[in-house]
Each structure stands twice: as structure tokens, then as C-alpha cells.
Amino acid sequence: MTALAQMSPDRPDNVPADRLFDIDIYMPNPEKGDYHAAWSKVHDFTDRQLIWTPRNDGHWVAVRADAITAVLSDYEHFSNRVIFVPRSSGEAHNIIPTTLDPPAHRPYRNILNASLAPKSVNRLEPRFRTIAGELMDAFEARGWCNFTTEFAEHFPIRIFMEIIDLPVADAPRLKRLADQTIRPDGSMTYEQALQGLYDYLQPHLEARRGGGGQDMLSRIVNGEVGGRAVTMQEAREMGAQMLIAGLDTVVNFLGFIMAFLAVNDDERRWLAADPANIPGFINELLRRFGIVTTGRIVREDYEFDGVLLRAGDMVMVPTGLYGIDPALYEDPLRVRRDRGGIRHSAFGFGNHVCPGAHLARAEVLATLEEWLSRIPEFRLKRGSALDYTGGIVAHIEQVQLEWD
């Protein structure tokens, strides 16, 4: 990442020269090095809350904790109507409830909350343990595994497929479509991937319409908004949004934390020796390894952080920058077991805080407790490397582990 020349032709007239930086939010680490370390360099360049980059058609980036909180919370100035850049691509992602602002957003969110509330999630907790054990049975005696492909890409996805009551055999097909909406490889367009999810969901939604099922998909298709039934198009959009979120984020967060524990013996052994330490430590891991990048579109001309934001400007929010802001945390890249007063933006802020936050925590807790009870000593597999990839959700391409 480099500061650009003051006379750069890419700089709009409302962008001061000292806010202009050359950074691609989807690839802050072009050499595939440590994703968070690459992002942390922005704090070395400036103590401003906002910077501006000409990449992806040009947009602002919230790089400090205060700006991240404000942009994600203040829907009166920063709308959810567009959440991706380039803006033209973001406008194509017009699916509910993600791209709705209050008060329109709330009734749809209430439908989702019913399936993801702590009471609903806690009832499934024994299944978490069973699924984790079944996956580990396949490789524990072998002494090594590709954690990404043999555990992370199965565990949270199998849980989510039970919550939404879809055949687990369909998960690979759905995961590929979901990946193409947030981490495209060029094999299909965003519109094709989204339509693929709609086409898959349609017969399942039709079959559950008018039924009494308590799974998430049934609750969606039989939900009510403002005293009327949810339309089939609304149900398709809500179902697709849940698939996109449920089949990706926790998968990738698990990779980050297991890679960390594989090279940090003291923290791993501390957790294994006393599992009661795990719940509190998860907060520190969430602070350190935020991986989601989202955005907002400016509703009207608005002065913020000493600059004029124009109506239609995009402001992107790499949520991981909140937890590694040195203005908020001392030595922020270091994971500390004794760090107090932790607040993070891993699940966002405001009305659009992740509805699956409790589910995600429960999945991480079950993973750590079950794994450390069976494989307390492990390391990165000799000869393997950690390649970090950005995107709307960052991930480590492969986390390969071994143990004696």
C-alpha cells in the first residue's frame, strides 16, 4: 500500500491529497502474506478515520475503530442499499434483508432471529459435539489433516444445513454458488451464482409453503411482514442470503484460529489444560481475526472526519481493522489471554449486526473444546504454507496440521 501523488488524476475534488492511498480492499496482501498484518500498515500511514482509494471505481475506506462504528451504526447517513464495490456490482446484490435500512429491515430480521436465537441454537449444541467427533474420527489416528477441507468446510456447514433442513449432500453445490457471490473465480457471473441459489431454493420453498415446519427455511417462506405473507421472491432472497452467510464465514474464521493455535504453543496448552478459559479467549480471537469487509453508500452530502462525503459515495468497512486499531488496543496484533474490556466488530454494529453471532460463537466453542480434548498437541504440517486471500470474507487457503 502506498500513498499516491497529490496530483493524481484519480482523485475527486472532495478527496484531500493526504487521504489518497493505493489499496485494493479485496487484496490488501497481493503476495498472500498475513492478511491482518497487511491491513495494519494503513495505521502506519495515517491517523485519519477515512482514506480514499481509486481501486474498484474509487471509494472511501473506514480504517479506525470510531469510523467503523459510525459507518456501520448510522443508517441515516450510511445506507445498506449498496454494500459491495465496485458500486455497479454492489447494486446487483439487491437482496433482502441485507440491503434494507430501518424500519423496513426489522420485520424481515425478526423472521431470521427466531431460528438463530440462543434458545434455538442451544438446543442443537449436542449435535455440534457429535458432528465434530465424527469428523475427527476420520483423521485423528492418521496424525495429520487438511483442517480446511476435512473439518472447517464440513463442521459449520453440516450444522447450518440442519438448521435450514436441507440435504447435507447438497452442501458442496451450494458452497460453490455461495463462494462465487463473495469470492468469484471467473467461472460464472455474480448474477448466475445468485440465480443458481434461487433455482435450488425454489422447490424447497414451494414444498414448505403453508406447512408447520420450524426449520429456518419454513419460517422464512411462511413469515409475515407488515401483516402480509412473505412473497416467494422475498423468501428466495432471504434464503439465498442465509446460504451465503451460513456456508462461508465461520468456515474461514476457524482456519484463522487453528492456524494461530498451531504456532502458539503456550496459548494452545493453556486452553487445553483448562477448557474453562476457552469462552473468554474466543472474544480475543474475534478481536484479532476479523475477516469480513462490507460497505455502505452515503445517502446525502455529509461532512465526516473533516471531509465532504458526497451522496452516492461508497464507504467500505474492513471490520478486522477495528480490533487491530492501535488507538484502541495496545500491541493490537498480539493475541493476549489477559486482555480486558474487549470489544470487536467481527459481527458488525447497529441494526445489521450478524443474526448468526450466537451460532458462530457456539460453533467455535464446540470446535475448540472437542479438538483440544482429543488433539491437544498439534502444529502446522511440515512443508505446508499459509496463503492468505482477501475478499468480502478473507480466508487462509489451506491450513494443514499434524500431530504425534
Side-chain angles (χ1 to χ4, degrees):
M1 175 174 50
T2 57
L4 298 178
Q6 182 172 350
M7 298 306 292
S8 168
D10 297 314
R11 178 165 61 93
D13 59 13
N14 65 317
V15 177
D18 66 350
R19 304 299 182 103
L20 188 59
F21 293 88
D22 182 18
I23 185 168
D24 185 341
I25 61 163
Y26 297 138
M27 194 167 54
N29 54 337
E31 302 302 319
K32 295 193 174 183
D34 188 307
Y35 172 80
H36 296 89
W39 262 122
S40 72
K41 293 177 182 178
V42 74
H43 296 142
D44 299 330
F45 279 96
T46 182
D47 58 1
R48 301 288 194 175
Q49 298 286 325
L50 293 179
I51 62 173
W52 194 90
T53 174
R55 303 289 184 122
N56 296 297
D57 290 349
H59 60 85
W60 299 96
V61 187
V63 296
R64 293 285 182 173
D66 287 348
I68 290 169
T69 303
V71 172
L72 293 181
S73 302
D74 182 5
Y75 64 86
E76 293 183 345
H77 291 106
F78 303 100
S79 171
N80 255 71
R81 184 172 56 82
V82 184
I83 60 173
F84 300 151
V85 291
R87 178 176 164 179
S88 57
S89 298
E91 288 173 338
H93 184 84
N94 186 27
I95 59 177
I96 61 172
T98 305
T99 54
L100 293 177
D101 294 310
H105 162 263
R106 174 50 55 184
Y108 298 96
R109 176 61 180 265
N110 288 342
I111 295 172
L112 303 179
N113 287 348
S115 296
L116 297 171
K119 184 177 180 180
S120 297
V121 171
N122 293 343
R123 282 198 296 265
L124 290 171
E125 197 271 345
R127 283 290 297 151
F128 296 0
R129 312 290 169 161
T130 299
I131 292 170
E134 290 173 353
L135 292 170
M136 295 176 69
D137 286 344
F139 54 72
E140 181 179 1
R142 191 174 69 204
W144 65 273
C145 75
N146 183 326
F147 178 80
T148 305
T149 61
E150 295 184 79
F151 189 93
E153 290 184 356
H154 295 276
F155 176 65
I157 290 175
R158 281 180 59 178
I159 291 169
F160 184 75
M161 295 298 275
E162 291 194 13
I163 290 173
I164 206 164
D165 193 19
L166 291 172
V168 71
D170 294 345
R173 170 188 172 188
L174 296 175
K175 180 71 166 67
R176 180 171 183 272
L177 291 169
D179 284 349
Q180 294 306 310
T181 69
I182 58 177
R183 203 179 299 108
D185 62 11
S187 61
M188 66 181 74
T189 66
Y190 171 86
E191 291 78 10
Q192 289 171 330
L194 190 58
Q195 188 60 50
L197 292 173
Y198 290 165
D199 291 344
Y200 172 86
L201 287 168
Q202 184 73 30
H204 292 283
L205 291 167
E206 290 175 349
R208 299 179 201 192
R209 188 80 151 181
Q214 294 302 300
D215 61 277
M216 179 185 283
L217 212 57
S218 292
R219 285 173 166 165
I220 287 173
V221 76
N222 294 309
E224 290 189 356
V225 175
R228 64 166 177 82
V230 166
T231 68
M232 190 58 71
Q233 178 60 27
E234 289 172 331
R236 279 194 297 267
E237 292 183 19
M238 294 174 71
Q241 182 58 58
M242 289 300 97
L243 287 173
I244 292 168
L247 299 178
D248 190 75
T249 309
V250 177
V251 171
N252 295 306
F253 181 67
L254 287 175
F256 277 89
I257 64 174
M258 292 300 282
F260 168 80
L261 292 175
V263 297
N264 287 273
D265 296 345
D266 289 347
E267 279 68 28
R268 186 185 66 251
R269 290 167 182 162
W270 175 68
L271 295 176
D274 187 357
N277 293 322
I278 295 175
F281 197 61
I282 287 174
N283 283 332
E284 173 68 348
L285 295 172
L286 287 167
R287 175 201 68 81
R288 175 61 178 79
F289 297 111
I291 56 175
V292 175
T293 296
T294 187
R296 300 291 187 267
I297 187 168
V298 178
R299 286 180 177 271
E300 58 188 19
D301 288 3
Y302 177 55
E303 187 169 327
F304 182 79
D305 188 37
V307 296
L308 176 64
L309 307 181
R310 290 213 171 105
D313 279 0
M314 288 297 302
V315 184
M316 296 304 295
V317 182
T319 59
L321 281 175
Y322 184 102
I324 61 173
D325 185 348
L328 197 63
Y329 294 110
E330 181 182 358
D331 197 9
L333 290 179
R334 180 186 170 198
V335 174
R336 286 174 39 184
R337 67 180 74 167
D338 62 345
R339 196 184 296 275
I342 297 171
R343 191 169 184 239
H344 59 77
S345 66
F347 301 120
F349 293 119
N351 290 277
H352 282 273
V353 67
C354 176
H358 184 77
L359 173 62
R361 287 179 180 275
E363 290 172 336
V364 174
L365 177 64
T367 295
L368 291 179
E369 288 182 347
E370 295 302 309
W371 188 284
L372 292 173
S373 71
R374 295 174 61 161
I375 310 175
E377 289 292 323
F378 61 92
R379 57 190 175 268
L380 292 180
K381 194 170 187 288
R382 281 181 287 271
S384 67
L386 298 178
D387 290 333
Y388 298 78
T389 301
I392 295 167
V393 181
H395 74 295
I396 303 175
E397 293 180 7
Q398 303 285 336
V399 178
Q400 299 192 55
L401 305 174
E402 64 182 7
W403 49 91
D404 298 323

